[in-house]
Amino acid sequence: MSAELKGVKKVFSSILRGRVEALRGIDLKVEEGEFFVILGPSGSGKSTLLNILAGLEKPTSGEVYIKGRMVAGEGVFLNPGERRVAMVFQNYALYPHMTVRGNIAFPLRMEGMNKKEIERRVREVALLLGIEHLLNSKPAELSGGEKQRVAIARALVREPDLLLMDEPLSNLDARLRIKMKEEIRKLQRSLGLTTIYVTHDQTEAMTLADRLAVMREGSIEQMGEPMDIYRNPGNTFVAGFIGNPPMNIVKKKPAIEEGKYFIDFLGVRIEVDRGEAVYLGVRPEDIEVKRGGSIEVTMIERLGGEALIHLRKENDKAIAKIYGDCDLSEGERVEVMFKKYYLFDS
């Protein structure tokens, strides 16, 4: 086991907000060599969890282990330098007065390593990340992608047991984010380095993760392999958070007919096993749209190879996603079928 949290809680107190439970008893195990992603909206506690692993925050209660060694717990708290953990921050945190070489070498100099070994490691990691030609440059001379590579190099040069990455791509433009995602995943696989990666971007999470945990309000809502969570969301929050565009989710009160309960959404009748209100979820890509019917097409978002069709029937609204050319028009009437749907207990 590379990293483990047992019952970790974190409580902050402030004059303005009072007592805030940032983490509510987190249990988490990350395997050796795994790329583990923590996904959640702002304020869900994901960065706090990462800071506790790094030793930048003390847990209020619970235990933290890295490589089987307790680093935080009852009477135990190892500082960041004792944990063999490296962290890449959202804002790069490069020293502007130092060269790239100086930035990468800085943590090794703080450890008192000899100059010859420092230079060897710096050149080795710079070559690995393709920034050896930038070693004499200052951060102000670098692009966003180059700064991110330097920040990653500074983390890797320590040869850590655990690499922590806190929203490292959020400051990059869309095209560069795609390139850096590919580079980070390739690098992690080639090194076999256990990595815990925090993001609010579900596309990043689905692309990078071996496993991921979805967080909300200090708790883990669901954990597993990305496609398992996509196909089998455990609740409406996870269902709505994973997928682009999000799942259509509506609350419906069943009707009864001939002793059987059913709900109706966009003219599709679905039998349910009880008379209590349920949440129905349908992913946009699981809605088939055909001409003719009573559902109005209110808007079409043409995105090139796919289109988002906005649908409305009385109080029911949904978005369908179709691939290829869309020959429908706004105001046209259609009918739908569901290839798959989900029912959640209210």
Side-chain angles (χ1 to χ4, degrees):
M1 194 64 58
S2 193
E4 184 174 6
L5 288 81
K6 295 182 178 180
V8 170
K9 295 183 179 181
K10 180 62 181 180
V11 178
F12 294 100
S13 297
S14 69
I15 296 173
L16 293 177
R17 299 182 63 193
R19 186 176 184 273
V20 177
E21 260 191 300
L23 297 177
R24 303 168 184 256
I26 298 293
D27 293 308
L28 176 66
K29 293 181 179 180
V30 179
E31 302 293 340
E32 186 73 26
E34 189 172 29
F35 198 122
F36 193 94
V37 175
I38 301 170
L39 173 67
S42 297
S44 59
K46 54 191 187 298
S47 290
T48 300
L49 191 156
L50 213 63
N51 289 338
I52 284 174
L53 277 166
L56 303 176
E57 296 273 4
K58 287 185 178 181
T60 303
S61 61
E63 299 173 349
V64 181
Y65 296 84
I66 295 174
K67 286 276 191 176
R69 178 178 62 155
M70 182 188 285
V71 297
E74 187 67 36
V76 176
F77 184 76
L78 300 188
N79 66 45
E82 298 174 295
R83 297 190 181 201
R84 289 191 56 80
V85 168
M87 191 163 178
V88 178
F89 298 91
Q90 178 180 343
N91 63 358
Y92 316 135
L94 302 179
Y95 298 107
H97 64 287
M98 292 184 183
T99 62
V100 167
R101 176 183 274 104
N103 270 280
I104 297 173
F106 183 77
L108 302 183
R109 292 207 308 270
M110 292 298 98
E111 292 175 10
M113 189 175 291
N114 69 72
K115 290 183 179 180
K116 188 175 181 180
E117 177 63 13
I118 289 174
E119 182 61 20
R120 184 192 69 78
R121 286 206 196 179
V122 167
R123 287 198 169 277
E124 190 176 83
V125 76
L127 186 65
L128 182 67
L129 285 155
I131 54 173
E132 66 278 8
H133 62 292
L134 300 174
L135 286 174
N136 295 320
S137 303
K138 295 283 186 69
E141 302 171 275
L142 307 180
S143 68
E146 289 168 343
K147 289 177 183 177
Q148 189 56 271
R149 288 182 181 89
V150 175
I152 294 171
R154 185 177 57 189
L156 294 180
V157 78
R158 297 182 58 200
E159 298 180 355
D161 291 332
L162 182 64
L163 177 62
L164 308 176
M165 307 186 84
D166 191 1
E167 307 235 27
L169 306 184
S170 59
N171 291 335
L172 304 179
D173 62 53
R175 181 174 294 183
L176 192 51
R177 279 203 302 273
I178 293 171
K179 181 176 175 59
M180 286 302 298
K181 270 192 296 188
E182 181 182 354
E183 291 186 5
I184 287 172
R185 191 66 177 105
K186 183 179 178 181
L187 182 68
Q188 188 272 338
R189 283 189 183 280
S190 66
L191 297 176
L193 180 59
T194 307
T195 302
I196 302 178
Y197 185 106
V198 157
T199 182
H200 66 274
D201 185 323
Q202 57 99 9
T203 303
E204 277 183 25
M206 295 291 288
T207 303
L208 293 170
D210 293 320
R211 286 191 303 138
L212 64 87
V214 182
M215 289 192 69
R216 176 175 61 161
E217 297 178 355
S219 298
I220 292 176
E221 294 285 309
Q222 190 171 352
M223 186 159 43
E225 294 181 8
M227 288 307 297
D228 284 344
I229 293 178
Y230 174 82
R231 294 189 184 107
N232 302 293
N235 56 39
T236 54
F237 174 78
V238 175
F241 201 75
I242 299 285
N244 185 30
M247 182 185 290
N248 300 289
I249 300 175
V250 293
K251 189 176 183 180
K252 288 284 183 176
K253 176 70 176 175
I256 187 168
E257 187 177 291
E258 298 180 353
K260 294 182 179 181
Y261 295 104
F262 69 90
I263 56 176
D264 185 293
F265 181 55
L266 294 176
V268 178
R269 286 166 55 108
I270 297 170
E271 188 173 330
V272 294
D273 60 2
R274 66 186 78 179
E276 300 170 2
V278 297
Y279 286 94
L280 169 69
V282 187
R283 293 202 180 278
E285 55 269 36
D286 287 331
I287 300 178
E288 289 186 352
V289 180
K290 296 181 180 179
R291 278 196 167 89
S294 57
I295 304 166
E296 180 187 2
V297 176
T298 59
M299 187 171 77
I300 300 174
E301 298 180 64
R302 289 182 168 84
L303 307 175
E306 60 193 39
L308 303 182
I309 315 300
H310 293 247
L311 306 168
R312 180 176 64 198
K313 180 181 181 182
E314 298 174 352
N315 293 326
D316 291 342
K317 295 180 180 179
I319 296 175
K321 183 177 184 178
I322 64 173
Y323 298 93
D325 294 335
C326 175
D327 58 357
L328 295 171
S329 304
E330 292 181 7
E332 194 167 349
R333 299 284 170 165
V334 298
E335 63 178 353
V336 300
M337 292 179 58
F338 302 154
K339 291 182 283 186
K340 184 176 182 180
Y341 60 84
Y342 300 83
L343 293 172
F344 300 95
D345 194 304
S346 61

